[in-house]
Amino acid sequence: MSKLTAQEIETKLLRFPDWEYYDNAIHAEFEFENFKDCFSAMSRIAFECEALNHHPNWTNVYNVLTITLSTHDADGVTMKDFNLAEAIEHIVEPEE
């Protein structure tokens, strides 16, 4: 997977308003009603990570999940990161 340019990343981020690009990665923070809902989303995200064989750097404090995506092998952001970001978006903000 090849590293995307800053321009390619910024263009792709137009579809992901919750995500920002800095420090050679894309980042998002999601707030849930409570810890249980946050942890439930993390569990569902974990299955997507395994399916895509791509794993985030993430932290959880009570009801807030902070996620950082970068492809270490490419030393930057690749399509793998955007594929996982899209899967995460469908989990944390399902379409109604």
Side-chain angles (χ1 to χ4, degrees):
M1 203 47 65
S2 60
K3 181 177 173 179
L4 299 173
T5 67
Q7 181 59 47
E8 290 171 322
I9 294 165
E10 292 298 336
T11 299
K12 290 188 178 308
L13 282 176
L14 295 173
R15 290 187 44 231
F16 298 89
D18 294 326
W19 295 80
E20 296 180 281
Y21 174 63
Y22 59 90
D23 294 338
N24 211 26
I26 56 174
H27 308 263
E29 185 173 281
F30 301 99
E31 186 173 341
F32 298 85
E33 287 288 317
N34 52 50
F35 175 77
K36 180 185 71 165
D37 290 346
C38 185
F39 193 82
S40 176
M42 291 177 72
S43 295
R44 292 190 312 267
I45 291 167
F47 283 97
E48 289 296 325
C49 294
E50 284 297 302
L52 296 172
N53 193 29
H54 193 48
H55 304 88
N57 290 332
W58 60 2
T59 59
N60 161 239
V61 177
Y62 181 56
N63 67 331
V64 177
L65 173 60
T66 305
I67 301 174
T68 299
L69 298 177
S70 180
T71 305
H72 302 290
D73 293 346
D75 192 34
V77 177
T78 68
M79 278 307 299
K80 282 180 100 170
D81 301 300
F82 280 100
N83 292 339
L84 182 52
E86 184 172 19
I88 291 168
E89 286 288 324
H90 286 295
I91 290 168
V92 299
E93 296 182 10
E95 294 181 28
E96 298 176 6

